[in-house]
Amino acid sequence: MQRMIRTRGRSANRIRQSWDNRLFDALANTFLILLTIVTLYPLWFVLVASFTDYKLINAGTLLLYPRGFQVAGYKMVFADWRVWTGYANTLFYTVCGTAFGALVTILAGYAFSRKDLPGSGILMKLFIFTMYFGGGLIPTYLMIKNLGLLDTRLLMILQGSVSVHNVIVVRSFMRTNIPDELLDAATIDGCGNGTFFMSIVMPLSKAILAVMVLYIAVSHWNSYFNALIYLTDRYKYPLQVFLRQILLQTAENHELAEDVEAVMEMQQMVATIRYSIIVVSTAPILCLYPFIQKYFVKGVMIGSVKG
Amino acid sequence: MRNGRRGRRVKGFVNQQAAQKIRKRSKTWKLMKKNWLLYMFLLPAALYIAIFHYGPMYGLQIAFRDYKAVNGIWGSKWVGLKWITTFMDTPRFWMIFKNTLKISLYSLISFPFPIILAVFLNNVRNVRRKKFVQTVTYMPHFISTVVLVGMLSLFLSPRNGIVNMLAGLFGGPTDTYFMGRADYFSHIYVWSGIWQSMGWGSIIYVAALTGVDQELHDAAQVDGANKLQRIWHIDIPSILPTIIIMLILRLGSIMGVGYEKVYLMQNSLNITSSEVISTYVYKMGLQDQRFSYSAAIGLFNNVINFIVLIIANKTADKVSGSSLW
């Protein structure tokens, strides 16, 4: 806060602001400060509550820092087989799905960026059409059923890995970052498409590859509806489906607790367990996020180029 | 004699055209042969789109048939618009339709928020402060829907939620079951959506604002325009094309209330205002196994979306000259 006041003072010295500009600044800054608090506090509260004594949580206390520090919620979370199974499955689906999706997207995006490919314009139009119109839930379900992909891990990896939007983002990136002259020069030197792609396009496309990997990985990590619809075997469930059970369904899991006392304690701790599991499931992304933020922003910016 | 010359010329011209056509065709063929590897690059994506997008579109015809799994798609009886009229005749149709429309239209109020945020961010001169606000406001975008709804139900809990506690501080009742109240459903849905996506949505406008010509601002400043006037007369008109494109895209999903979040927020107490077309499709189709009926409802919804998108695009093209295609 003090620093902010100082900077305000400095800028006021530089140019004498009129009262209406100062009023605008004040309003704008108040808005931004309030927004920051409103965004950050719920996240902070979840983190703090997960370490706080459950009696305080059940009393509905407003917290700024952990009180009655304890990790009982986390102990419960890590004792639950669903968390481990879900985590392992999610990791598997995310890693495989991202590898598959990024590869397919980059290859297609590059091919679409080339202007000397007859027929690619029509194909692109066919791709774009699917962004605005689709068969819908039931025909998709029947299609997948007929392919024999119901309740398979393969489907969890494939579905949602390729998106037309991402292909367009890659295409725009390649069009602006790989000049035609480069291809011409390479062709004169006797370089074929394969060599050109591997030794020139790929090294120049590290940034867009990072963007794609992150986009696809986050969407895999957070997706739950596909698993809900297409999986029946719960040992294949990703974390988000178990999260839904633990966070939103009132029927609690009593497999861990043999005696009545333990059940009672579990019920007392429901809220704490829920806060803990939110932290456990979301921490990986939010911890990495500040470091990879620039790639995400880059992706949005490239995607906004019309074309 | 004159005629003859002209005839020859015309004939020559036709020949030239034909030759050009042949040359072009053989050039295309040569290009295709030379770039065969690039077609291989396209193949996996094309297969994916064919299987996961065009396959279901082909299967959409079950909306007009009485689909029975044993008969297959082609063997099932053609019934025309039966399912759509069945849907419109169900007593719940108007409730579901109204809920979908209400939530969609209400959601539109979230549209200006990212623009306002971007304009205010653009006003911040201190780079580190700007970065900080951006980092914080983008964050909720990365929270999964399940976690978001989980957080909502924890915060809004009537037993120990902090929202009820805050209400108590201001002398209100402390045991409101927000998630179970039909009249609160759309508010919770829309405002939590704004919380989650406002920052992320602003990225595109922040980027557009950096492209605004600084000379315009300098000139306006010399003329004595204050910040608000400059935003209104310079910034907003400069990013208007971006705003319009985003608006068209938004209108294109006017009836596309995603089932993911609604479905998670639904419970038996708020169902009268939380049942929307997409959740109804899910229940009819996958829980009750009424495939044709629910495919027809899904199609009904998709077609409305598509029409709105086309109208929005046409209107935007006429009014402002910017459009999607």
Side-chain angles (χ1 to χ4, degrees):
Chain A
M1 198 61 202
Q2 251 188 347
R3 240 192 69 208
M4 248 146 46
I5 292 163
R6 254 193 288 133
T7 32
R8 300 259 297 114
R10 234 186 282 144
S11 67
N13 279 341
R14 210 173 53 227
I15 316 161
R16 272 205 68 83
Q17 301 275 17
S18 59
W19 68 270
D20 41 358
N21 283 352
R22 279 206 307 260
L23 181 70
F24 178 81
D25 279 342
L27 281 174
N29 288 336
T30 314
F31 175 84
L32 291 179
I33 291 167
L34 280 178
L35 182 72
T36 310
I37 294 169
V38 167
T39 312
L40 213 48
Y41 185 68
L43 300 172
W44 178 243
F45 182 86
V46 170
L47 182 67
V48 166
S50 70
F51 288 109
T52 297
D53 192 349
Y54 68 82
K55 291 189 194 83
L56 287 168
I57 298 290
N58 289 347
T61 320
L62 201 65
L63 296 159
L64 281 176
Y65 51 88
R67 278 164 56 190
F69 187 88
Q70 59 158 18
V71 288
Y74 288 97
K75 273 189 193 149
M76 290 282 201
V77 166
F78 288 121
D80 194 333
W81 69 270
R82 293 178 295 180
V83 174
W84 293 98
T85 311
Y87 235 99
N89 284 334
T90 293
L91 269 177
F92 178 69
Y93 300 147
T94 303
V95 170
C96 296
T98 306
F100 168 77
L103 181 73
V104 172
T105 309
I106 294 280
L107 287 178
Y110 172 66
F112 276 128
S113 79
R114 289 278 293 260
K115 285 158 196 129
D116 55 345
L117 202 63
S120 66
I122 298 163
L123 194 62
M124 193 73 235
K125 287 208 174 77
L126 285 173
F127 272 45
I128 290 174
F129 181 67
T130 64
M131 289 172 84
Y132 303 114
F133 194 82
L137 186 69
I138 302 306
T140 310
Y141 176 83
L142 292 175
M143 179 87 197
I144 283 161
K145 194 176 168 192
N146 289 335
L147 288 170
L149 285 173
L150 274 192
D151 205 20
T152 59
R153 289 180 192 274
L154 181 65
L155 181 73
M156 288 297 107
I157 291 166
L158 294 180
Q159 207 177 21
S161 290
V162 181
S163 90
V164 176
H165 178 258
N166 284 346
V167 172
I168 294 175
V169 170
V170 174
R171 183 185 70 157
S172 310
F173 178 88
M174 302 269 190
R175 280 218 173 135
T176 45
N177 288 307
I178 310 210
D180 291 342
E181 292 78 24
L182 215 55
L183 178 67
D184 295 342
T187 316
I188 290 166
D189 289 345
C191 175
N193 279 323
T195 334
F196 183 71
F197 180 75
M198 286 313 290
S199 53
I200 293 171
V201 176
M202 280 317 281
L204 286 174
S205 309
K206 277 182 198 140
I208 197 68
L209 185 64
V211 171
M212 285 304 119
V213 164
L214 294 170
Y215 270 26
I216 301 169
V218 169
S219 83
H220 265 287
W221 190 273
N222 286 340
S223 94
Y224 86 96
F225 211 76
N226 285 340
L228 192 72
I229 294 169
Y230 300 112
L231 291 183
T232 40
D233 176 2
R234 44 194 217 140
Y235 292 99
K236 289 178 188 155
Y237 280 171
L239 186 60
Q240 298 293 332
V241 176
F242 288 127
L243 267 182
R244 171 169 171 258
Q245 289 180 358
I246 296 166
L247 286 174
L248 297 169
Q249 286 168 348
T250 34
E252 277 301 311
N253 173 35
H254 296 311
E255 284 170 41
L256 301 162
E258 281 91 31
D259 51 304
V260 188
E261 222 169 286
V263 173
M264 289 284 283
E265 206 195 323
M266 281 271 288
Q267 274 164 354
Q268 288 281 304
M269 285 189 56
V270 166
T272 317
I273 293 173
R274 287 179 175 174
Y275 284 119
S276 309
I277 199 159
I278 290 177
V279 174
V280 168
S281 67
T282 315
I285 288 180
L286 287 193
C287 285
L288 278 175
Y289 159 71
F291 305 103
I292 54 185
Q293 183 194 351
K294 65 170 186 180
Y295 289 109
F296 280 106
V297 174
K298 198 173 211 160
V300 174
M301 256 125 81
I302 301 165
S304 68
V305 178
K306 197 189 151 194
Chain B
M1 196 159 154
R2 238 199 217 163
N3 267 348
R5 214 189 292 159
R6 195 194 275 166
R8 243 177 290 146
R9 218 187 277 159
V10 169
K11 217 172 157 193
F13 181 69
V14 170
N15 276 344
Q16 237 175 359
Q17 250 188 343
Q20 234 169 14
K21 232 185 207 167
I22 291 167
R23 237 178 290 143
K24 206 176 156 194
R25 209 177 287 158
S26 72
K27 203 180 148 202
T28 308
W29 184 238
K30 243 189 222 157
L31 267 181
M32 288 176 89
K33 251 176 36 191
K34 198 186 91 193
N35 291 331
W36 66 273
L37 187 69
L38 297 180
Y39 289 103
M40 293 295 114
F41 281 11
L42 285 176
L43 192 64
L47 276 177
Y48 182 94
I49 297 290
I51 292 172
F52 287 102
H53 292 280
Y54 281 96
M57 267 187 241
Y58 167 78
L60 199 50
Q61 53 175 295
I62 65 163
F64 306 106
R65 290 174 185 275
D66 190 8
Y67 179 73
K68 298 263 178 347
V70 279
N71 301 334
I73 291 174
W74 277 102
S76 298
K77 215 179 92 196
W78 185 268
V79 293
L81 294 175
K82 178 187 162 192
W83 299 118
I84 298 208
T85 49
T86 312
F87 175 51
M88 287 168 122
D89 287 341
T90 47
R92 271 189 292 174
F93 170 75
W94 282 110
M95 181 192 89
I96 295 168
F97 191 76
K98 259 195 289 195
N99 286 341
T100 312
L101 207 61
K102 188 184 162 196
I103 294 174
S104 303
L105 292 177
Y106 190 6
S107 295
L108 284 181
I109 68 154
S110 68
F111 185 77
F113 282 83
I115 304 172
I116 297 169
L117 174 59
V119 166
F120 282 171
L121 276 171
N122 197 43
N123 182 50
V124 176
R125 289 278 160 263
N126 182 324
V127 178
R128 280 179 63 189
R129 247 166 67 204
K130 186 176 169 182
K131 267 258 165 69
F132 176 73
V133 177
Q134 282 176 304
T135 306
V136 169
T137 50
Y138 297 167
M139 240 186 240
H141 173 78
F142 296 93
I143 293 171
S144 75
T145 317
V146 178
V147 167
L148 177 74
V149 179
M151 279 168 66
L152 283 174
S153 75
L154 280 164
F155 292 158
L156 299 173
S157 152
R159 262 184 305 152
N160 46 30
I162 48 171
V163 174
N164 269 310
M165 208 277 308
L166 282 173
L169 280 185
F170 293 104
T174 58
D175 56 350
T176 320
Y177 184 22
F178 292 97
M179 297 291 276
R181 288 268 298 265
D183 50 339
Y184 285 138
F185 180 82
S186 55
H187 301 296
I188 299 172
Y189 179 87
V190 169
W191 288 95
S192 63
I194 292 175
W195 180 79
Q196 190 173 25
S197 58
M198 175 177 183
W200 189 254
S202 75
I203 295 178
I204 201 162
Y205 300 114
V206 170
L209 280 170
T210 53
V212 174
D213 194 351
Q214 190 56 44
E215 277 176 34
L216 287 175
H217 275 280
D218 294 342
Q221 215 161 5
V222 171
D223 289 345
N226 66 20
K227 278 184 174 172
L228 195 63
Q229 285 168 327
R230 275 184 283 140
I231 285 168
W232 192 248
H233 294 289
I234 299 172
D235 285 341
I236 299 290
S238 304
I239 63 170
L240 200 60
T242 312
I243 295 177
I244 287 168
I245 296 283
M246 299 311 282
L247 190 64
I248 301 170
L249 280 172
R250 190 55 186 278
L251 290 175
S253 55
I254 189 94
M255 296 278 286
V257 182
Y259 41 70
E260 298 215 354
K261 193 169 153 195
V262 175
Y263 184 69
L264 288 170
M265 285 176 66
Q266 252 177 17
N267 54 44
S268 52
L269 294 169
N270 66 22
I271 197 79
T272 49
S273 60
S274 66
E275 188 79 295
V276 294
I277 294 181
S278 54
T279 55
Y280 189 67
V281 166
Y282 172 69
K283 285 173 192 165
M284 285 300 114
L286 295 179
Q287 290 176 355
D288 295 359
Q289 305 276 311
R290 296 172 66 184
F291 291 133
S292 280
Y293 179 49
S294 104
I297 304 169
L299 178 65
F300 171 81
N301 198 17
N302 269 356
V303 167
I304 294 180
N305 266 337
F306 200 64
I307 292 171
V308 174
L309 178 73
I310 287 169
I311 294 173
N313 196 44
K314 269 262 161 64
T315 316
D317 198 16
K318 269 210 184 116
V319 173
S320 67
S322 36
S323 64
L324 281 177
W325 59 78

